[in-house]
Amino acid sequence: MLTVYNCIVNEHDPGMVLLAGVIGAIASFAAIILLQHLCKSTGRTRWLWTAVAAICFGFGVWATHFIAMLAFAPGLPTAYDVPLTAVSLLLAILFSGLGMSVAARQKLDHHLVGGAIVGSGIAVMHFTGMAALEVEGRLVWDMGLVAASLIAGVVLGALAMRIALSRSNEANTIAASLTLTLAICTMHFTAMGAVSIIPDPTITISPFSIPSMWLAMAVAFAAFMIFLMTAVALWVDIRDRSRAITEERRMRGLANAAMEGLLVCDDTTIITANQSLCTLSGRPLDELIGMDFTKLFTSIEKNGVLADEPVWETTLKHADGTTQPVELLSRVIDYSGKPHTVVAVRDLRERKKAEADIRRLAMHDTLTNLPNRRNFTARLEEEMEALPEGKSIALLCLDLDRFKEVNDLFGHAAGDTMLRKVADNAGRALRHGQMLARLGGDEFAIIAPGLSDPREAAALAEEILHAFRKENEQASNDGLMSTSIGIALYPQDARDQETLINHADTALYRAKSEGRDTYRFYEHEMGQEARARRIMEHELRHAVGRREFHLVYQPQKKLDTGELIGYEALLRWKHPERGNISPGVFIPVAEESGAIVPIGEWVLQTACSAAASWKDDLMIAVNVSAVQLHSVNFPQTVHRVLLETGLSPHRLEIEITETALVRDMHRALTTLRQLKALGIKVAMDDFGTGYSSLSNLRAFPFDKIKIDGSFIRQVDTNEQAATIVKAVLGIGRGLGLPVLAEGVETSGELSFLASEFCQIGQGYYLGRPSPIEDVLREFETGEQKRSDANAA
């Protein structure tokens, strides 16, 4: 080091040394700026920036060397070989271009290798320039200092490239420029300290060499080129910085306008963030900048996760210590000439809440907030799988009694209120681990797992029924809220979920049929009855198509003259295996299953077709169930049948029971008025067995009253029956309605009715139900008798 120091102090002009350092620093600064722009460019522009940077730095190194050589005063005449001087400039430019091109590839090893090439170029240029030196003496080299100069140039050159390209900012630019200047100066003066000139008179300066004056002019030109290139570099840098600032402001404005949080990371260090992320995290921007990304989010380790996982969910740590779910979306972008990772932070609180609401809606009933059928079946399956040995599960199926009446009388809002009351009252009766679910409509179910004794299920059912009765005592509409309960046990009654539910439904049906407001356990006999009922429902749906139904016709006659006025069509079912099945058995099943609608339409069609073929002006009476009456299209169906069969509307009589009226009085009245408008007659059937309300006789447009046969039997021997029949006949006379007595089976009954002025009768004594063939045969016989009488 002392040798180098003595060389600089004793053998160089200090002013020229300082000038050389300034020229080197300017060239280094320009080269670093141009290198940073080189890294941002692509295609042909990249090659252009490479050439400009190489020329700038090559000229700078060359000028620094030869200005320092002009400052060198060995005490002997000196000159410079022209070709070698030119070659030294060319080598400086080539090595600079090659090194910067390698360093610009954005990786650490490329930075170091490229910097080492630049440092090697400084050394190659120096020793080539020294070879161009002509002096009247011999050059003797200290190889230790030569090696030191080479190492200094390579190491400092590599360090300068690494600093310049690690991060693009002012501090790094200045540090890299000073390091590169140090590489030039250290290498040059260390190498100059390694050389000694020994005078030798035998060595002369070539007449073709460049004298120092001409070299000074060449150096001046090189300096001018350096300043020109530096000016260009500064202009480009200022322009790009201005654009970058403008672009950054615009991008920051756009980023702050984004609803999602945005941050830019260098590896895992946060470089910048938008206002949304500041709000989301509860931290100011100054606190976020420089923070490690992994400290802001949980479940993220500092292991390159940003590059490996473009989309993932995690939680954000708020400044107040709370956490919130977020979704991160990452992408690599070019930011300030270097790859950075931009991360979008999406707040998932609303989405998580919406997903939870959707899951709840999918598994719960919206009206009562109870678990729905899907939730119920899943829970029942879990309980069945986890049931301990020796324990049982009770499944209680609940169905509200007369719930439709509540909807019809008080509206659906009242029905909804009742369903919520059912959920509240039944829910309060549950024990820990038991579940109440709404399966749909007015159907509820309770899962009671882990029972040791069936009596626990019975106690639960009693408690629910008691809660309902107590609620009814406080309600304004007494007795409206009641339920029937069917209970089935697992594994005693069934080994699978579907069978268990079916058995509980079967027990529920039995509870309803035995008085309602009660509960029943499943029994094996119930299952047989339920299966038989389901089989009958299935067979009823196909009986019309299989031609298993037929009609019989029972005559209706005037009691005073015996004149035939019409027939009532009665449905019969002849099963291919079980034979004739009573209407009292299959009609209720058909009504509950809905099969009565197509069956009733077939009856109407068949009866009207038969009556249309009768010559006399006889009536045909057809019974209509409540299900048919309340069907929306029933009047249109009747009208269509009349048009297809050609039967006159005034010959058709529809018979309905009073029970069918009270099911939905408004709809029933509308339907009856539509039928009356067609010219069809309407009779009240089975009067005396239902509500028997006189207001119904006045409100509905009836044409006839039919007294049920149960009152006609023994009317001539039973005083109570006689009193009821007399009262009905009196009502009919008072309202101007004809009365028909059903079930007339004896002469005594006929005599009583005739004495009380009953107009019409029907029964076995007046005529048995007969198939259509017998009816037609009677018509032919009657015609023959009339023909014979006319001939006589």
Side-chain angles (χ1 to χ4, degrees), residues 421-422 424-430 459-474 481-483 517:
K421 286 184 179 180
V422 168
D424 292 340
N425 284 271
R428 284 196 293 268
L430 300 184
L460 176 59
E462 285 284 5
E463 189 170 346
I464 293 171
L465 294 174
H466 176 72
F468 282 21
R469 293 166 190 150
K470 188 174 180 181
E471 178 70 23
N472 288 338
E473 292 175 2
Q474 304 171 359
M481 194 172 79
S482 69
T483 185
D517 191 29

Side-chain angles (χ1 to χ4, degrees), residues 370-407:
L370 292 175
N372 60 11
R373 184 180 291 273
R374 181 180 178 184
N375 196 342
F376 161 78
T377 55
R379 173 69 179 277
L380 182 57
E381 192 69 32
E382 291 175 4
E383 295 292 352
M384 291 171 69
E385 292 177 359
L387 184 67
E389 189 72 26
K391 299 290 185 178
S392 61
I393 299 173
L395 175 62
L396 287 74
C397 285
L398 290 72
D399 190 88
L400 300 187
D401 301 328
R402 296 177 295 274
F403 178 70
K404 189 177 186 308
E405 294 178 18
V406 176
N407 275 334

Side-chain angles (χ1 to χ4, degrees), residues 264-328:
V264 179
C265 294
D266 181 8
D267 193 12
T268 59
T269 302
I270 299 175
I271 302 302
T272 185
N274 69 346
Q275 189 59 44
S276 294
L277 184 67
C278 296
T279 303
L280 198 62
S281 64
R283 295 175 172 87
L285 181 60
D286 293 343
E287 183 180 343
L288 288 173
I289 294 176
M291 178 184 289
D292 193 283
F293 174 85
T294 59
K295 294 181 180 179
L296 192 60
F297 300 95
T298 61
S299 305
I300 296 180
E301 299 178 358
K302 195 170 181 179
N303 59 355
V305 68
L306 291 179
D308 298 337
E309 300 288 342
V311 180
W312 74 101
E313 290 187 14
T314 182
T315 52
L316 170 67
K317 299 176 185 177
H318 196 273
D320 61 8
T322 60
T323 59
Q324 55 203 52
V326 293
E327 181 181 60
L328 304 184

Side-chain angles (χ1 to χ4, degrees), residues 367 403 406-421:
L367 177 65
F403 178 70
V406 176
N407 275 334
D408 293 343
L409 294 174
F410 303 104
H412 289 284
D416 292 345
T417 301
M418 174 176 282
L419 292 174
R420 284 191 285 265
K421 286 184 179 180

Side-chain angles (χ1 to χ4, degrees), residues 127 220 288 302 470 476 578 695:
F127 287 109
L288 288 173
K302 195 170 181 179
K470 188 174 180 181
S476 58
R578 297 195 296 273
S695 63

Side-chain angles (χ1 to χ4, degrees), residues 554 707-709 712-713 741-746 749 762-764:
Q554 188 171 31
I707 305 176
D708 188 69
I712 302 302
R713 296 186 191 95
E742 292 183 298
V744 180
E745 298 182 354
T746 65
E749 293 169 358
Q762 177 182 339
Y764 279 17

Side-chain angles (χ1 to χ4, degrees), residues 275-563:
Q275 189 59 44
S276 294
L277 184 67
C278 296
T279 303
L280 198 62
S281 64
R283 295 175 172 87
L285 181 60
D286 293 343
E287 183 180 343
L288 288 173
I289 294 176
M291 178 184 289
D292 193 283
F293 174 85
T294 59
K295 294 181 180 179
L296 192 60
F297 300 95
T298 61
S299 305
I300 296 180
E301 299 178 358
K302 195 170 181 179
N303 59 355
V305 68
L306 291 179
D308 298 337
E309 300 288 342
V311 180
W312 74 101
E313 290 187 14
T314 182
T315 52
L316 170 67
K317 299 176 185 177
H318 196 273
D320 61 8
T322 60
T323 59
Q324 55 203 52
V326 293
E327 181 181 60
L328 304 184
L329 299 90
S330 66
R331 180 176 295 177
V332 177
I333 64 168
D334 183 84
Y335 183 81
S336 298
K338 182 184 175 185
H340 286 71
T341 304
V342 62
V343 181
V345 183
R346 184 174 296 162
D347 190 352
L348 294 183
R349 283 176 293 184
E350 289 297 325
R351 193 175 87 181
K352 293 290 185 182
K353 181 179 180 299
E355 289 175 354
D357 291 341
I358 290 172
R359 285 194 297 270
R360 181 165 186 81
L361 288 173
M363 302 296 285
H364 287 77
D365 172 55
T366 55
L367 177 65
T368 61
N369 206 29
L370 292 175
N372 60 11
R373 184 180 291 273
R374 181 180 178 184
N375 196 342
F376 161 78
T377 55
R379 173 69 179 277
L380 182 57
E381 192 69 32
E382 291 175 4
E383 295 292 352
M384 291 171 69
E385 292 177 359
L387 184 67
E389 189 72 26
K391 299 290 185 178
S392 61
I393 299 173
L395 175 62
L396 287 74
C397 285
L398 290 72
D399 190 88
L400 300 187
D401 301 328
R402 296 177 295 274
F403 178 70
K404 189 177 186 308
E405 294 178 18
V406 176
N407 275 334
D408 293 343
L409 294 174
F410 303 104
H412 289 284
D416 292 345
T417 301
M418 174 176 282
L419 292 174
R420 284 191 285 265
K421 286 184 179 180
V422 168
D424 292 340
N425 284 271
R428 284 196 293 268
L430 300 184
R431 280 80 167 176
H432 177 71
Q434 297 176 350
M435 172 182 171
L436 171 65
R438 184 188 177 199
L439 305 185
D442 60 339
E443 299 177 35
F444 295 82
I446 295 174
I447 302 173
L451 302 184
S452 303
D453 192 321
R455 286 177 291 185
E456 296 179 49
L460 176 59
E462 285 284 5
E463 189 170 346
I464 293 171
L465 294 174
H466 176 72
F468 282 21
R469 293 166 190 150
K470 188 174 180 181
E471 178 70 23
N472 288 338
E473 292 175 2
Q474 304 171 359
S476 58
N477 298 300
D478 186 30
L480 283 178
M481 194 172 79
S482 69
T483 185
S484 300
I485 304 176
I487 307 173
L489 301 174
Y490 172 85
Q492 294 91 324
D493 297 330
R495 292 284 181 174
D496 61 87
Q497 183 179 129
E498 183 178 359
T499 306
L500 183 67
I501 294 173
N502 288 338
H503 288 351
D505 283 337
T506 301
L508 171 63
Y509 180 80
R510 175 61 63 88
K512 279 187 169 294
S513 64
E514 293 184 359
R516 306 189 180 192
D517 191 29
T518 185
Y519 69 90
R520 290 289 182 271
F521 279 91
Y522 171 78
E523 298 173 1
H524 180 67
E525 294 77 11
M526 294 180 186
Q528 294 177 329
E529 292 176 7
R531 282 192 293 274
R533 186 180 185 86
R534 286 195 292 270
I535 291 172
M536 181 174 287
E537 289 178 2
H538 176 75
E539 293 174 338
L540 281 170
R541 296 185 187 279
H542 298 86
V544 172
R546 294 171 180 170
R547 301 179 181 275
E548 296 174 5
F549 289 124
H550 67 277
L551 297 181
V552 295
Y553 300 87
Q554 188 171 31
Q556 297 175 343
K557 298 180 179 179
K558 290 184 178 180
L559 297 185
D560 53 353
T561 64
E563 177 188 355

Side-chain angles (χ1 to χ4, degrees), residues 430-743:
L430 300 184
R431 280 80 167 176
H432 177 71
Q434 297 176 350
M435 172 182 171
L436 171 65
R438 184 188 177 199
L439 305 185
D442 60 339
E443 299 177 35
F444 295 82
I446 295 174
I447 302 173
L451 302 184
S452 303
D453 192 321
R455 286 177 291 185
E456 296 179 49
L460 176 59
E462 285 284 5
E463 189 170 346
I464 293 171
L465 294 174
H466 176 72
F468 282 21
R469 293 166 190 150
K470 188 174 180 181
E471 178 70 23
N472 288 338
E473 292 175 2
Q474 304 171 359
S476 58
N477 298 300
D478 186 30
L480 283 178
M481 194 172 79
S482 69
T483 185
S484 300
I485 304 176
I487 307 173
L489 301 174
Y490 172 85
Q492 294 91 324
D493 297 330
R495 292 284 181 174
D496 61 87
Q497 183 179 129
E498 183 178 359
T499 306
L500 183 67
I501 294 173
N502 288 338
H503 288 351
D505 283 337
T506 301
L508 171 63
Y509 180 80
R510 175 61 63 88
K512 279 187 169 294
S513 64
E514 293 184 359
R516 306 189 180 192
D517 191 29
T518 185
Y519 69 90
R520 290 289 182 271
F521 279 91
Y522 171 78
E523 298 173 1
H524 180 67
E525 294 77 11
M526 294 180 186
Q528 294 177 329
E529 292 176 7
R531 282 192 293 274
R533 186 180 185 86
R534 286 195 292 270
I535 291 172
M536 181 174 287
E537 289 178 2
H538 176 75
E539 293 174 338
L540 281 170
R541 296 185 187 279
H542 298 86
V544 172
R546 294 171 180 170
R547 301 179 181 275
E548 296 174 5
F549 289 124
H550 67 277
L551 297 181
V552 295
Y553 300 87
Q554 188 171 31
Q556 297 175 343
K557 298 180 179 179
K558 290 184 178 180
L559 297 185
D560 53 353
T561 64
E563 177 188 355
L564 178 67
I565 63 171
Y567 290 88
E568 179 180 5
L570 302 173
L571 180 63
R572 297 292 184 263
W573 183 19
K574 187 175 183 179
H575 193 277
E577 297 176 0
R578 297 195 296 273
N580 292 322
I581 300 177
S582 170
V585 174
F586 73 79
I587 291 295
V589 177
E591 288 182 330
E592 291 184 13
S593 65
I596 193 65
V597 174
I599 293 173
E601 185 174 340
W602 178 85
V603 170
L604 186 65
Q605 182 87 30
T606 305
C608 290
S609 296
S613 65
W614 300 339
K615 293 182 179 180
D616 294 331
D617 194 19
L618 298 176
M619 297 288 297
I620 182 68
V622 179
N623 288 284
V624 173
S625 74
V627 179
Q628 288 177 273
L629 183 67
H630 295 294
S631 176
V632 176
N633 298 320
F634 181 65
Q636 290 82 354
T637 300
V638 176
H639 188 213
R640 176 178 54 80
V641 169
L642 290 174
L643 292 175
E644 291 176 354
T645 60
L647 181 68
S648 176
H650 74 273
R651 294 180 58 195
L652 175 63
E653 183 174 83
I654 297 296
E655 296 185 359
I656 61 172
T657 62
E658 195 170 9
T659 305
L661 299 178
V662 298
R663 180 175 175 180
D664 189 337
M665 291 188 176
H666 178 73
R667 180 177 293 179
L669 180 59
T670 301
T671 301
L672 293 182
R673 285 175 176 169
Q674 289 175 334
L675 293 175
K676 291 287 290 182
L678 294 174
I680 298 168
K681 292 182 172 56
V682 181
M684 178 181 281
D685 196 13
D686 298 339
F687 186 78
T689 60
Y691 293 87
S692 301
S693 172
L694 298 180
S695 63
N696 289 335
L697 289 175
R698 185 182 67 176
F700 290 91
F702 291 110
D703 298 292
K704 185 185 295 182
I705 300 173
K706 296 186 70 175
I707 305 176
D708 188 69
S710 61
F711 297 106
I712 302 302
R713 296 186 191 95
Q714 301 179 352
V715 72
D716 54 336
T717 59
N718 188 307
E719 187 63 30
Q720 290 181 339
T723 301
I724 292 173
V725 171
K726 290 178 181 179
V728 175
L729 291 171
I731 292 171
R733 286 192 294 269
L735 295 175
L737 296 177
V739 179
L740 184 150
E742 292 183 298

